Amino acid sequence: MNILVAGGAGYIGSHTVVELLSRGEQVVIVDNLSNSREHVIDRIERITGKRPGFVKADVRDTGKMNEVFAQYKFDAVIHLAGLKVVGESVEKPIVYYRNNLESTWVLVDLMSKYKVPSIIFSSSATVYGETDQVPINENAEYHCTNPYGNTKMINEIFLKDVVTACPDISAICLRYFNPIGAHESGQIGEDPLDIPNNLMPYITQVAIGKLERLSIFGDDYPTHDGTGVRDYIHVVDLAKGHLAALDYAEQNPDLGFLAVNLGTGKGYSVLDLVHTFSEVCGKSIPYQITARRPGDVATSYADPSKAKELFGWEAEFDLKRMCEDSWRWQKCCDKFI
Ligand code: NAD
Ligand code: WQD
């Protein structure tokens, strides 16, 4: 297959491209490098022995994207090009809506023009927002609590409307839970350009000595140790989920619209993660308990059975392996440039 990976230089995208190339697919990445670096393309080549096509462009640049679609006959689009920082989305809703919505409009418009049959879209468990029902299955209602989540929800609704009007296009929205970990080579991983907002990159930067101590946001949640519980999933498992979704879309051209969770189905607390990481890296992780972070839920983990039933996909890597790979990446990330 010939696949366009929008946002393919980023964290999840680069791992997805590695899996695609390793399986023998052709890949063209379009990325504006707003949150990634060009050396990722070299690293992907070093890991797989194959160089993906790379176009540095904004997915919203209709003229440029028209050229890209005209040049390559794509069989599918994987759309990961989005801004993803919840707090920033509250401060800059216009930037987030423009980036995260216009990118999908442009891609779908060109898919229709060039008869590309399927799109796999990066959605998020964030669309479930506050819910007491765990594990969370795909029938749970939308309860977004911030502009970032709203952009994911609106994209899903938009794609539903598109496939209804254009039966030749199908859309699978993958609702990721909490991706962590990195490729086992230590060459690609999450590379926050700023102070990390998410738990795992914060922990790894404390372990390496870049940050002094972790703040744990609340220890009075109704969970086994009082700290928040999440469904952490290895990014390589997540990447493989995209290939499984692509195969399903190819075999089921009439699927229309699907929303599918990608998670492990297991919940771990902040302290579970801190302790497992600490064992793996052989250092203690200094932390302090601070106030709850506004908008955080106590517990969130997936019911991943739909992905297993439809795609035959399930996550394989455990929490220890996620920590080992995150730690290797943290130690290696600046060495390969
Ligand atoms: P990332 O920032 O590492 O990757 C996104 C990539 O898209 C970056 O390389 C960025 O430069 C590029 N990009 C952004 N806007 C673009 C545009 N308009 N044109 C071209 N390129 C553009 O983020 P990630 O963690 O790999 O996330 C990928 C997708 O998955 C995002 O849509 C994100 O919202 C979604 N998602 C991420 C998580 C997570 O925790 N990482 C969870 C759920 C969903
Ligand atoms: C995990 C747990 C925090 C940082 C976010 C987005 C979501 C999705 C995934 C894109 C929580 C606690 C965190 C810290 C802490 N992204 N924590 N100290 O909030 O579950 O999900 O990333 O779609 O939309 O909201 O992930 O890693 O930020 O937090 O105690 O410094 O760690 O309170 O319990 P979250 P996270």
Side-chain angles (χ1 to χ4, degrees), residues 12 83-86 122-127 146 148-149 152 176-180 196-203 213-218 221 227-232 268-270 273 288 290-293 295-298 300:
I12 300 167
L83 301 175
K84 62 168 184 175
V85 183
V86 171
S122 294
S123 189
S124 170
T126 203
V127 299
N146 55 68
Y148 166 71
K152 292 297 176 193
Y176 314 149
F177 277 69
N178 289 58
I180 60 172
N197 295 286
N198 296 114
L199 180 60
M200 181 55 104
Y202 208 104
I203 291 176
R213 69 164 52 82
L214 172 71
S215 292
I216 295 184
F217 302 143
Y221 285 106
T227 65
V229 165
R230 296 291 182 274
D231 186 336
Y232 297 99
Y268 289 101
S269 71
V270 177
L273 194 59
Q288 61 190 354
T290 62
R292 290 182 180 192
R293 185 171 64 179
D296 274 353
V297 296
S300 166

Short mmCIF file of all heavy atoms in Angstrom, two decimals, residues 12 83-86 122-127 146 148-149 152 176-180 196-203 213-218 221 227-232 268-270 273 288 290-293 295-298 300, ligand 2:
data_model
loop_
_atom_site.label_atom_id
_atom_site.label_comp_id
_atom_site.label_asym_id
_atom_site.label_seq_id
_atom_site.Cartn_x
_atom_site.Cartn_y
_atom_site.Cartn_z
N ILE A 12 3.95 9.60 17.81
CA ILE A 12 3.20 8.39 17.41
C ILE A 12 3.42 8.12 15.92
O ILE A 12 3.57 6.98 15.48
CB ILE A 12 1.70 8.56 17.73
CG1 ILE A 12 1.52 8.77 19.25
CG2 ILE A 12 0.90 7.35 17.27
CD1 ILE A 12 0.13 9.26 19.66
N LEU A 83 -2.24 19.55 17.02
CA LEU A 83 -1.68 20.12 18.25
C LEU A 83 -2.36 19.41 19.41
O LEU A 83 -3.55 19.12 19.34
CB LEU A 83 -1.93 21.62 18.30
CG LEU A 83 -1.36 22.43 17.12
CD1 LEU A 83 -1.78 23.89 17.21
CD2 LEU A 83 0.17 22.31 17.09
N LYS A 84 -1.61 19.16 20.51
CA LYS A 84 -2.15 18.20 21.49
C LYS A 84 -2.04 18.62 22.96
O LYS A 84 -2.26 17.80 23.84
CB LYS A 84 -1.45 16.86 21.31
CG LYS A 84 0.06 16.93 21.54
CD LYS A 84 0.68 15.55 21.64
CE LYS A 84 2.16 15.65 21.97
NZ LYS A 84 2.83 14.39 22.19
N VAL A 85 -1.67 19.86 23.22
CA VAL A 85 -1.46 20.23 24.62
C VAL A 85 -2.75 20.85 25.19
O VAL A 85 -3.18 21.92 24.77
CB VAL A 85 -0.28 21.21 24.78
CG1 VAL A 85 -0.05 21.52 26.25
CG2 VAL A 85 0.97 20.63 24.14
N VAL A 86 -3.34 20.13 26.13
CA VAL A 86 -4.65 20.52 26.65
C VAL A 86 -4.66 21.95 27.18
O VAL A 86 -5.51 22.77 26.81
CB VAL A 86 -5.09 19.53 27.76
CG1 VAL A 86 -6.34 20.01 28.46
CG2 VAL A 86 -5.31 18.13 27.17
N SER A 122 -6.31 10.13 14.22
CA SER A 122 -5.87 10.11 15.62
C SER A 122 -6.88 10.80 16.50
O SER A 122 -6.84 12.02 16.65
CB SER A 122 -4.58 10.91 15.78
OG SER A 122 -3.53 10.35 15.12
N SER A 123 -7.76 10.02 17.09
CA SER A 123 -8.63 10.62 18.09
C SER A 123 -8.05 10.31 19.47
O SER A 123 -6.88 9.91 19.57
CB SER A 123 -10.07 10.10 17.93
OG SER A 123 -10.93 10.84 18.76
N SER A 124 -8.83 10.49 20.49
CA SER A 124 -8.25 10.41 21.83
C SER A 124 -9.31 10.01 22.85
O SER A 124 -10.49 10.35 22.71
CB SER A 124 -7.71 11.79 22.20
OG SER A 124 -7.35 11.84 23.56
N ALA A 125 -8.85 9.32 23.90
CA ALA A 125 -9.75 9.01 25.01
C ALA A 125 -10.25 10.27 25.68
O ALA A 125 -11.21 10.24 26.45
CB ALA A 125 -9.00 8.15 26.03
N THR A 126 -9.61 11.38 25.35
CA THR A 126 -10.04 12.66 25.91
C THR A 126 -11.49 12.98 25.52
O THR A 126 -12.16 13.75 26.21
CB THR A 126 -9.05 13.77 25.49
OG1 THR A 126 -9.12 14.84 26.41
CG2 THR A 126 -9.30 14.28 24.10
N VAL A 127 -11.99 12.38 24.43
CA VAL A 127 -13.38 12.66 24.03
C VAL A 127 -14.37 12.15 25.08
O VAL A 127 -15.51 12.60 25.15
CB VAL A 127 -13.77 12.10 22.64
CG1 VAL A 127 -12.90 12.70 21.55
CG2 VAL A 127 -13.74 10.58 22.60
N ASN A 146 -12.33 20.37 27.32
CA ASN A 146 -11.40 21.44 26.92
C ASN A 146 -11.40 21.57 25.39
O ASN A 146 -11.86 20.66 24.69
CB ASN A 146 -10.00 21.13 27.45
CG ASN A 146 -9.53 19.75 27.02
OD1 ASN A 146 -9.27 19.53 25.84
ND2 ASN A 146 -9.45 18.82 27.96
N TYR A 148 -9.05 21.29 23.17
CA TYR A 148 -8.36 20.20 22.46
C TYR A 148 -9.31 19.01 22.25
O TYR A 148 -9.46 18.49 21.13
CB TYR A 148 -7.12 19.76 23.26
CG TYR A 148 -6.56 18.45 22.78
CD1 TYR A 148 -5.90 18.36 21.55
CD2 TYR A 148 -6.70 17.28 23.54
CE1 TYR A 148 -5.40 17.15 21.09
CE2 TYR A 148 -6.21 16.07 23.09
CZ TYR A 148 -5.56 16.01 21.87
OH TYR A 148 -5.07 14.80 21.41
N GLY A 149 -9.96 18.61 23.34
CA GLY A 149 -10.91 17.49 23.24
C GLY A 149 -12.03 17.81 22.27
O GLY A 149 -12.47 16.94 21.49
N LYS A 152 -11.12 17.08 18.75
CA LYS A 152 -11.18 15.65 18.41
C LYS A 152 -12.63 15.23 18.17
O LYS A 152 -12.94 14.52 17.21
CB LYS A 152 -10.55 14.81 19.53
CG LYS A 152 -9.06 15.00 19.70
CD LYS A 152 -8.29 14.54 18.47
CE LYS A 152 -6.81 14.81 18.56
NZ LYS A 152 -6.08 14.66 17.30
N TYR A 176 -6.92 6.89 21.23
CA TYR A 176 -5.76 6.45 22.01
C TYR A 176 -5.98 6.76 23.47
O TYR A 176 -6.44 7.85 23.81
CB TYR A 176 -4.47 7.18 21.61
CG TYR A 176 -4.17 7.34 20.13
CD1 TYR A 176 -3.47 8.46 19.71
CD2 TYR A 176 -4.53 6.39 19.19
CE1 TYR A 176 -3.12 8.64 18.37
CE2 TYR A 176 -4.19 6.56 17.85
CZ TYR A 176 -3.51 7.68 17.45
OH TYR A 176 -3.17 7.87 16.14
N PHE A 177 -5.50 5.85 24.34
CA PHE A 177 -5.46 6.15 25.76
C PHE A 177 -4.12 6.86 26.05
O PHE A 177 -3.85 7.88 25.43
CB PHE A 177 -5.80 4.90 26.59
CG PHE A 177 -7.31 4.75 26.66
CD1 PHE A 177 -8.04 4.42 25.52
CD2 PHE A 177 -8.02 5.07 27.81
CE1 PHE A 177 -9.45 4.39 25.54
CE2 PHE A 177 -9.41 5.04 27.84
CZ PHE A 177 -10.12 4.70 26.70
N ASN A 178 -3.27 6.37 26.92
CA ASN A 178 -2.07 7.16 27.27
C ASN A 178 -0.80 6.53 26.71
O ASN A 178 -0.20 5.66 27.36
CB ASN A 178 -1.96 7.30 28.80
CG ASN A 178 -3.03 8.22 29.37
OD1 ASN A 178 -4.21 7.97 29.19
ND2 ASN A 178 -2.61 9.27 30.04
N PRO A 179 -0.37 6.96 25.52
CA PRO A 179 0.83 6.36 24.93
C PRO A 179 2.10 6.77 25.66
O PRO A 179 2.32 7.96 25.93
CB PRO A 179 0.84 6.88 23.49
CG PRO A 179 -0.11 8.02 23.44
CD PRO A 179 -1.01 7.94 24.62
N ILE A 180 2.93 5.78 25.98
CA ILE A 180 4.26 6.03 26.56
C ILE A 180 5.23 5.04 25.91
O ILE A 180 4.84 4.29 25.02
CB ILE A 180 4.28 5.92 28.11
CG1 ILE A 180 3.86 4.52 28.56
CG2 ILE A 180 3.40 6.99 28.73
CD1 ILE A 180 4.05 4.29 30.07
N PRO A 196 7.75 19.04 29.98
CA PRO A 196 6.68 18.11 29.65
C PRO A 196 5.40 18.35 30.46
O PRO A 196 5.46 18.74 31.63
CB PRO A 196 7.26 16.74 30.04
CG PRO A 196 8.70 16.94 30.25
CD PRO A 196 8.93 18.38 30.53
N ASN A 197 4.27 18.13 29.83
CA ASN A 197 2.98 18.20 30.52
C ASN A 197 2.54 16.82 30.98
O ASN A 197 1.78 16.69 31.93
CB ASN A 197 1.89 18.72 29.56
CG ASN A 197 2.16 20.14 29.15
OD1 ASN A 197 1.97 21.05 29.94
ND2 ASN A 197 2.64 20.33 27.94
N ASN A 198 3.00 15.81 30.27
CA ASN A 198 2.53 14.45 30.56
C ASN A 198 3.44 13.75 31.55
O ASN A 198 4.61 14.10 31.69
CB ASN A 198 2.42 13.63 29.26
CG ASN A 198 1.38 14.22 28.32
OD1 ASN A 198 1.72 14.70 27.24
ND2 ASN A 198 0.13 14.22 28.72
N LEU A 199 2.89 12.75 32.19
CA LEU A 199 3.57 12.12 33.31
C LEU A 199 4.90 11.44 32.92
O LEU A 199 5.93 11.70 33.55
CB LEU A 199 2.63 11.10 33.96
CG LEU A 199 3.19 10.34 35.16
CD1 LEU A 199 3.59 11.30 36.28
CD2 LEU A 199 2.15 9.33 35.65
N MET A 200 4.87 10.57 31.91
CA MET A 200 6.10 9.78 31.64
C MET A 200 7.29 10.65 31.26
O MET A 200 8.38 10.48 31.83
CB MET A 200 5.81 8.70 30.59
CG MET A 200 7.02 7.84 30.28
SD MET A 200 7.74 7.08 31.78
CE MET A 200 7.17 5.41 31.58
N PRO A 201 7.15 11.58 30.29
CA PRO A 201 8.34 12.40 29.99
C PRO A 201 8.81 13.23 31.18
O PRO A 201 10.01 13.50 31.31
CB PRO A 201 7.89 13.29 28.82
CG PRO A 201 6.43 13.13 28.68
CD PRO A 201 6.04 11.85 29.36
N TYR A 202 7.88 13.59 32.06
CA TYR A 202 8.30 14.32 33.26
C TYR A 202 9.17 13.41 34.14
O TYR A 202 10.24 13.79 34.61
CB TYR A 202 7.08 14.85 34.04
CG TYR A 202 7.41 16.09 34.83
CD1 TYR A 202 7.00 17.35 34.39
CD2 TYR A 202 8.19 16.02 35.99
CE1 TYR A 202 7.34 18.50 35.08
CE2 TYR A 202 8.54 17.16 36.69
CZ TYR A 202 8.10 18.40 36.24
OH TYR A 202 8.44 19.54 36.92
N ILE A 203 8.70 12.18 34.34
CA ILE A 203 9.45 11.23 35.18
C ILE A 203 10.84 10.98 34.59
O ILE A 203 11.85 10.98 35.31
CB ILE A 203 8.68 9.88 35.30
CG1 ILE A 203 7.42 10.07 36.14
CG2 ILE A 203 9.57 8.80 35.91
CD1 ILE A 203 6.55 8.81 36.25
N ARG A 213 12.14 17.51 40.66
CA ARG A 213 11.22 16.53 41.25
C ARG A 213 9.88 16.57 40.56
O ARG A 213 9.48 17.59 39.99
CB ARG A 213 11.06 16.72 42.75
CG ARG A 213 10.33 17.96 43.20
CD ARG A 213 9.91 17.85 44.67
NE ARG A 213 11.04 17.50 45.52
CZ ARG A 213 11.94 18.37 45.97
NH1 ARG A 213 11.84 19.65 45.65
NH2 ARG A 213 12.92 17.98 46.74
N LEU A 214 9.22 15.43 40.63
CA LEU A 214 7.89 15.28 40.04
C LEU A 214 6.85 15.84 41.02
O LEU A 214 6.95 15.62 42.22
CB LEU A 214 7.62 13.79 39.81
CG LEU A 214 6.20 13.40 39.38
CD1 LEU A 214 5.93 13.86 37.94
CD2 LEU A 214 6.00 11.89 39.49
N SER A 215 5.87 16.56 40.50
CA SER A 215 4.70 16.90 41.31
C SER A 215 3.61 15.91 40.98
O SER A 215 3.25 15.75 39.80
CB SER A 215 4.20 18.31 40.96
OG SER A 215 5.14 19.27 41.36
N ILE A 216 3.12 15.23 41.98
CA ILE A 216 2.00 14.30 41.77
C ILE A 216 0.72 15.06 42.08
O ILE A 216 0.53 15.56 43.20
CB ILE A 216 2.14 13.04 42.65
CG1 ILE A 216 3.38 12.26 42.22
CG2 ILE A 216 0.88 12.19 42.57
CD1 ILE A 216 3.58 10.93 42.93
N PHE A 217 -0.13 15.14 41.07
CA PHE A 217 -1.31 16.00 41.17
C PHE A 217 -2.45 15.30 41.92
O PHE A 217 -3.39 14.79 41.31
CB PHE A 217 -1.77 16.41 39.77
CG PHE A 217 -0.73 17.14 38.96
CD1 PHE A 217 -0.62 16.93 37.59
CD2 PHE A 217 0.14 18.06 39.54
CE1 PHE A 217 0.32 17.60 36.82
CE2 PHE A 217 1.09 18.74 38.79
CZ PHE A 217 1.19 18.50 37.43
N GLY A 218 -2.33 15.29 43.25
CA GLY A 218 -3.42 14.77 44.08
C GLY A 218 -3.19 13.34 44.50
O GLY A 218 -2.80 12.49 43.69
N TYR A 221 -7.67 10.79 45.36
CA TYR A 221 -8.67 10.24 44.44
C TYR A 221 -9.17 8.89 44.97
O TYR A 221 -8.43 8.20 45.68
CB TYR A 221 -8.05 10.03 43.04
CG TYR A 221 -7.85 11.31 42.26
CD1 TYR A 221 -6.58 11.86 42.09
CD2 TYR A 221 -8.93 11.96 41.69
CE1 TYR A 221 -6.39 13.03 41.37
CE2 TYR A 221 -8.76 13.14 40.96
CZ TYR A 221 -7.48 13.66 40.81
OH TYR A 221 -7.31 14.81 40.10
N THR A 227 -3.82 8.14 43.95
CA THR A 227 -3.36 8.91 42.78
C THR A 227 -4.12 8.45 41.52
O THR A 227 -4.69 7.35 41.49
CB THR A 227 -1.83 8.77 42.58
OG1 THR A 227 -1.49 7.41 42.27
CG2 THR A 227 -1.08 9.21 43.83
N GLY A 228 -4.11 9.29 40.50
CA GLY A 228 -4.91 9.06 39.30
C GLY A 228 -4.51 7.79 38.56
O GLY A 228 -3.33 7.45 38.49
N VAL A 229 -5.51 7.12 38.02
CA VAL A 229 -5.27 5.85 37.31
C VAL A 229 -5.53 6.04 35.81
O VAL A 229 -6.53 6.63 35.41
CB VAL A 229 -6.19 4.74 37.88
CG1 VAL A 229 -6.23 3.53 36.96
CG2 VAL A 229 -5.71 4.34 39.27
N ARG A 230 -4.57 5.54 34.98
CA ARG A 230 -4.68 5.67 33.53
C ARG A 230 -4.31 4.37 32.84
O ARG A 230 -3.63 3.52 33.41
CB ARG A 230 -3.71 6.77 33.01
CG ARG A 230 -4.00 8.16 33.50
CD ARG A 230 -5.28 8.74 32.91
NE ARG A 230 -5.51 10.10 33.36
CZ ARG A 230 -6.12 10.44 34.49
NH1 ARG A 230 -6.58 9.50 35.32
NH2 ARG A 230 -6.31 11.71 34.81
N ASP A 231 -4.69 4.30 31.58
CA ASP A 231 -4.38 3.15 30.74
C ASP A 231 -3.16 3.50 29.88
O ASP A 231 -3.29 4.10 28.81
CB ASP A 231 -5.61 2.86 29.87
CG ASP A 231 -5.48 1.58 29.05
OD1 ASP A 231 -4.34 1.16 28.80
OD2 ASP A 231 -6.52 1.04 28.67
N TYR A 232 -1.97 3.16 30.38
CA TYR A 232 -0.74 3.45 29.63
C TYR A 232 -0.51 2.36 28.59
O TYR A 232 -0.59 1.18 28.91
CB TYR A 232 0.46 3.55 30.59
CG TYR A 232 0.27 4.70 31.57
CD1 TYR A 232 -0.19 4.48 32.86
CD2 TYR A 232 0.49 6.02 31.16
CE1 TYR A 232 -0.40 5.54 33.74
CE2 TYR A 232 0.28 7.07 32.03
CZ TYR A 232 -0.17 6.82 33.32
OH TYR A 232 -0.39 7.88 34.18
N TYR A 268 -3.20 1.82 35.71
CA TYR A 268 -2.11 1.97 36.69
C TYR A 268 -2.14 3.38 37.25
O TYR A 268 -2.41 4.34 36.52
CB TYR A 268 -0.75 1.69 36.05
CG TYR A 268 -0.54 0.23 35.70
CD1 TYR A 268 -0.71 -0.21 34.39
CD2 TYR A 268 -0.21 -0.70 36.68
CE1 TYR A 268 -0.54 -1.55 34.07
CE2 TYR A 268 -0.04 -2.05 36.37
CZ TYR A 268 -0.20 -2.46 35.06
OH TYR A 268 -0.03 -3.79 34.75
N SER A 269 -1.79 3.49 38.53
CA SER A 269 -1.79 4.81 39.18
C SER A 269 -0.48 5.54 38.90
O SER A 269 0.51 4.93 38.44
CB SER A 269 -1.99 4.65 40.69
OG SER A 269 -0.80 4.11 41.25
N VAL A 270 -0.46 6.81 39.26
CA VAL A 270 0.78 7.60 39.12
C VAL A 270 1.89 6.94 39.95
O VAL A 270 3.02 6.76 39.47
CB VAL A 270 0.56 9.06 39.60
CG1 VAL A 270 1.86 9.84 39.53
CG2 VAL A 270 -0.52 9.74 38.77
N LEU A 273 3.34 3.84 38.39
CA LEU A 273 4.28 4.17 37.31
C LEU A 273 5.62 4.64 37.89
O LEU A 273 6.69 4.21 37.44
CB LEU A 273 3.66 5.25 36.41
CG LEU A 273 4.33 5.49 35.07
CD1 LEU A 273 4.34 4.22 34.23
CD2 LEU A 273 3.58 6.57 34.28
N GLN A 288 6.75 15.21 45.07
CA GLN A 288 5.95 15.85 46.11
C GLN A 288 4.49 15.74 45.69
O GLN A 288 4.18 15.71 44.50
CB GLN A 288 6.35 17.33 46.25
CG GLN A 288 6.12 18.13 44.97
CD GLN A 288 6.73 19.52 45.00
OE1 GLN A 288 7.23 19.96 46.01
NE2 GLN A 288 6.67 20.21 43.87
N THR A 290 1.05 17.43 45.25
CA THR A 290 0.49 18.79 45.14
C THR A 290 -1.02 18.68 44.90
O THR A 290 -1.57 17.58 44.91
CB THR A 290 1.16 19.57 43.99
OG1 THR A 290 0.88 18.89 42.76
CG2 THR A 290 2.66 19.69 44.17
N ALA A 291 -1.63 19.83 44.66
CA ALA A 291 -3.09 19.84 44.45
C ALA A 291 -3.45 19.08 43.17
O ALA A 291 -2.62 18.92 42.28
CB ALA A 291 -3.56 21.29 44.33
N ARG A 292 -4.69 18.66 43.11
CA ARG A 292 -5.18 18.03 41.88
C ARG A 292 -5.05 19.00 40.71
O ARG A 292 -5.18 20.22 40.90
CB ARG A 292 -6.68 17.70 42.02
CG ARG A 292 -6.97 16.57 42.98
CD ARG A 292 -8.47 16.32 42.99
NE ARG A 292 -8.82 15.25 43.90
CZ ARG A 292 -10.02 14.68 43.93
NH1 ARG A 292 -10.99 15.09 43.12
NH2 ARG A 292 -10.28 13.70 44.78
N ARG A 293 -4.82 18.48 39.51
CA ARG A 293 -4.77 19.33 38.31
C ARG A 293 -6.20 19.48 37.80
O ARG A 293 -6.90 18.47 37.60
CB ARG A 293 -3.89 18.64 37.25
CG ARG A 293 -3.65 19.44 36.01
CD ARG A 293 -2.61 18.78 35.11
NE ARG A 293 -3.00 17.48 34.60
CZ ARG A 293 -2.27 16.73 33.78
NH1 ARG A 293 -1.08 17.14 33.39
NH2 ARG A 293 -2.69 15.56 33.37
N GLY A 295 -9.46 19.49 35.83
CA GLY A 295 -9.86 18.75 34.63
C GLY A 295 -9.47 17.28 34.66
O GLY A 295 -9.94 16.49 33.83
N ASP A 296 -8.58 16.87 35.60
CA ASP A 296 -8.18 15.46 35.65
C ASP A 296 -9.30 14.59 36.21
O ASP A 296 -9.98 14.99 37.16
CB ASP A 296 -6.94 15.30 36.55
CG ASP A 296 -5.63 15.54 35.80
OD1 ASP A 296 -5.68 15.70 34.58
OD2 ASP A 296 -4.58 15.56 36.46
N VAL A 297 -9.43 13.40 35.66
CA VAL A 297 -10.38 12.44 36.22
C VAL A 297 -9.62 11.47 37.10
O VAL A 297 -8.40 11.35 37.01
CB VAL A 297 -11.14 11.66 35.10
CG1 VAL A 297 -11.98 12.61 34.26
CG2 VAL A 297 -10.18 10.88 34.21
N ALA A 298 -10.36 10.78 38.00
CA ALA A 298 -9.70 9.84 38.91
C ALA A 298 -9.16 8.63 38.13
O ALA A 298 -8.00 8.26 38.25
CB ALA A 298 -10.69 9.37 39.98
N SER A 300 -9.25 6.28 34.38
CA SER A 300 -9.62 6.13 32.96
C SER A 300 -8.86 4.94 32.39
O SER A 300 -7.63 4.93 32.42
CB SER A 300 -9.25 7.41 32.21
OG SER A 300 -9.28 7.18 30.81
C1 WQD B 2 -1.48 11.09 33.68
C2 WQD B 2 -1.65 11.07 35.19
C3 WQD B 2 -2.09 13.25 36.13
C4 WQD B 2 1.83 14.93 35.11
C5 WQD B 2 -3.34 13.56 28.53
C6 WQD B 2 -4.35 14.31 27.74
C7 WQD B 2 -5.13 13.37 26.88
C8 WQD B 2 -4.20 12.51 26.02
C9 WQD B 2 -3.15 11.86 26.83
C10 WQD B 2 -3.94 13.55 23.89
C11 WQD B 2 -2.79 11.97 35.69
C12 WQD B 2 -0.77 12.71 36.62
C13 WQD B 2 0.75 14.09 35.25
C14 WQD B 2 2.56 15.33 36.27
C15 WQD B 2 1.06 14.02 37.62
N1 WQD B 2 -3.50 13.29 25.04
N2 WQD B 2 0.37 13.65 36.49
N3 WQD B 2 2.14 14.86 37.48
O1 WQD B 2 -3.97 13.78 31.58
O2 WQD B 2 -4.35 11.28 31.38
O3 WQD B 2 -4.00 12.62 29.36
O4 WQD B 2 -2.47 12.83 27.62
O5 WQD B 2 -5.00 13.25 23.42
O6 WQD B 2 -5.95 14.17 26.09
O7 WQD B 2 -5.22 14.98 28.63
O8 WQD B 2 -2.09 12.23 30.84
O9 WQD B 2 0.29 12.03 31.35
O10 WQD B 2 -0.82 14.27 31.63
O11 WQD B 2 -1.37 12.44 33.23
O12 WQD B 2 0.72 13.62 38.73
O13 WQD B 2 3.54 16.10 36.20
O14 WQD B 2 -0.47 11.62 35.78
O15 WQD B 2 -2.76 13.92 37.16
O16 WQD B 2 -3.37 11.31 36.79
P1 WQD B 2 -3.68 12.52 30.91
P2 WQD B 2 -0.91 12.80 31.72
#
